[in-house]
Amino acid sequence: MPAPCSACGASPAALRRPKTGHALCRACFLAAFEEETHQAIVAGRLFRPGETVAIGASGGKDSTVLAHLLQLLDQRHSYGLHLLLLSVDEGIAGYRDASLAAVRRHQRRSGLPLHVVSYRQLYGWSMDRIARHLGPRNNCTFCGVFRRQALDRGALLMGADKIATGHNADDVAETVLMNFLRGDVGRLRRGVGTGPAGGEGAVPRCKPLRHAYEKEIVLYAYFQGLDYFSTECVYAPQAYRGYARALLKELEAVRPSAVADLGHSGERLSLRSDLRMPARGTCQRCGYVASQPLCKACVLLEGLDRGLPKLGIGKHRRLRDKLRDGEPLTQEERRRLGAPAEGEPPEEQEPRGELGTDEEPWGRRELRGPQDLDF
Ligand SMILES: [Zn+2]
Ligand SMILES: [Zn+2]
């Protein structure tokens, strides 16, 4: 006979909460989890009445729980939000098509509007094609940069005031740990993004589940019977984040509050006021926010379009300068930038999405048509 629930004392406990250690019944756990999310939304002033909120929906557990909770709490507490689902199709066969199917099932059940933006449509390159050019490493660099912009562009297209993402307490703690270990002050300052306008993109972002433990999100999805997709991406996850994640799991096993504490440290960290932060400008090519003349996505795209996929990653400044000045690269230099070896067959062309054009590969990418994604 299991112990009684420590909250209601009536029902038998169904679980021990990973965050607090309390033994709770199913109903009390669900209620506590929902109330804590509501409190986080209120305390962080994440939303204003009347706002249109695009929920970044990947089909995974975090964003599925987020979409379910926002809809439920919006009704329960009358936030007055217009909620939308926004998905990014990276073009990863066997992974994203299956997870998008989970998003579509959620869309049908919830009745929320759904919009999907694809890498192929926005950039002319699917992740599968990028990976064929690039080889097994660095795919996550491309994917991360492209996804950030894709979410912004999709949100603008849908007229959203805000993007809500499913980042949980573990994600936040991992990011704090990783940026701290790397001494990445800029990301430490921006990354935690506690306020309503946290983040660096064009549309303000918020993380309503930033205090929710990953384990509790899994439990919540399980007890609510939510349908989500749970396979890892076919491309290897970012190696360094993997170490931060493993370290965090070890710390959590010793002391469960480590997850929350690290997130708290990230919020409370005070940085020297005389540290120079990169200036925020706009990309000369696409108009997206950038601290350099070209945004990171445009630099990566230029490398892909030139057949030198590694141009935008790593320390290739001298070679980038040579290219900019119109100087030819040697075979060896081209090889270092990921060009195929002599005699290798050229890769088959993938038709550009209906919104891109082939005529202006170096110019500003005009995204014409009724769905004008440019801004
Ligand atoms: Zn109970
Ligand atoms: Zn750009």
Side-chain angles (χ1 to χ4, degrees):
M1 187 67 192
C5 169
S6 67
C8 65
S11 310
L15 69 138
R16 190 169 285 282
R17 276 194 78 171
K19 188 172 176 174
T20 60
H22 294 147
L24 294 179
C25 71
R26 174 185 175 276
C28 288
F29 168 69
L30 294 179
F33 192 84
E34 287 159 7
E35 181 58 21
E36 284 169 21
T37 308
H38 169 61
Q39 289 304 330
I41 287 169
V42 172
R45 296 194 191 135
L46 301 192
F47 306 117
R48 278 199 293 260
E51 272 185 336
T52 298
V53 178
I55 304 165
S58 70
K61 64 181 188 320
D62 300 305
S63 64
T64 303
V65 166
L66 176 66
H68 171 87
L69 275 174
L70 285 185
Q71 201 174 14
L72 182 116
L73 295 174
D74 180 49
Q75 283 159 11
R76 184 180 292 169
H77 300 285
S78 307
Y79 294 159
L81 301 178
H82 305 286
L83 298 171
L84 315 161
L85 300 173
L86 173 59
S87 291
V88 177
D89 182 358
E90 298 95 343
I92 303 174
Y95 167 70
R96 185 49 82 211
D97 37 9
S99 58
L100 278 175
V103 174
R104 293 209 166 87
R105 290 195 298 274
H106 182 86
Q107 193 261 322
R108 281 195 293 276
R109 271 195 315 277
S110 66
L112 296 176
L114 165 69
H115 190 83
V116 181
V117 286
S118 75
Y119 283 6
R120 220 177 59 142
Q121 192 185 48
L122 288 172
Y123 309 114
W125 289 78
S126 68
M127 267 319 293
D128 283 344
R129 182 168 166 233
I130 291 172
R132 283 201 297 277
H133 278 248
L134 195 61
R137 295 190 57 193
N138 297 311
N139 286 298
C140 298
T141 303
F142 280 77
C143 203
V145 169
F146 286 173
R147 186 183 303 109
R148 173 159 278 278
Q149 276 206 14
L151 270 179
D152 268 339
R153 287 174 184 258
L156 287 169
L157 194 70
M158 297 180 86
D161 303 299
K162 210 158 270 175
I163 298 171
T165 60
H167 292 97
N168 60 42
D170 295 59
D171 297 326
V172 171
E174 270 165 41
T175 304
V176 170
L177 200 55
M178 201 166 63
N179 291 334
F180 190 75
L181 292 174
R182 288 202 288 222
D184 194 333
V185 176
R187 284 211 171 83
L188 269 173
R189 178 172 284 180
R190 286 190 312 249
V192 181
T194 51
E200 66 207 275
V203 181
R205 292 179 183 224
C206 65
K207 302 169 184 152
L209 296 179
R210 53 173 282 107
H211 298 295
Y213 278 37
E214 182 177 34
K215 287 176 178 171
E216 301 209 345
I217 289 173
V218 174
L219 285 171
Y220 185 86
Y222 172 77
F223 283 117
Q224 284 289 19
L226 297 180
D227 163 22
Y228 64 86
F229 180 78
S230 63
T231 297
E232 285 284 312
C233 178
V234 295
Y235 301 113
Q238 287 180 37
Y240 202 65
R241 178 173 284 277
Y243 290 120
R245 165 168 282 260
L247 180 54
L248 180 67
K249 291 287 175 221
E250 280 185 47
L251 294 170
E252 186 191 8
V254 179
R255 201 169 62 105
S257 72
V259 178
D261 293 344
L262 262 166
H264 191 66
S265 299
E267 281 172 35
R268 289 305 182 88
L269 200 66
S270 72
L271 300 169
R272 257 166 51 199
S273 56
D274 59 340
L275 285 173
R276 277 189 42 221
M277 301 300 282
R280 248 173 87 119
T282 49
C283 172
Q284 289 170 2
R285 187 168 292 166
C286 74
Y288 189 76
V289 285
S291 52
Q292 306 285 325
L294 289 186
C295 75
K296 189 73 183 160
C298 283
V299 172
L300 293 175
L301 275 173
E302 176 142 346
L304 286 172
D305 287 336
R306 280 179 186 255
L308 304 169
K310 292 180 183 158
L311 184 67
I313 41 184
K315 295 187 172 27
H316 296 303
R317 191 175 178 161
R318 191 181 61 82
L319 299 182
R320 280 199 284 272
D321 287 349
K322 263 184 100 171
L323 277 169
R324 187 199 56 209
D325 298 338
E327 288 177 46
L329 299 184
T330 66
Q331 266 310 317
E332 167 57 20
E333 285 169 340
R334 291 179 58 78
R335 199 194 52 74
R336 273 169 50 204
L337 295 179
E342 286 281 300
E344 235 176 66
E347 201 251 337
E348 84 281 13
Q349 274 296 306
E350 190 174 58
R352 216 173 264 279
E354 59 272 28
L355 295 176
T357 77
D358 272 319
E359 288 107 67
E360 35 196 354
W362 313 116
R364 187 182 160 116
R365 269 159 205 280
E366 294 291 345
L367 300 161
R368 297 194 194 90
Q371 295 170 289
D372 190 2
L373 295 162
D374 233 331
F375 61 93

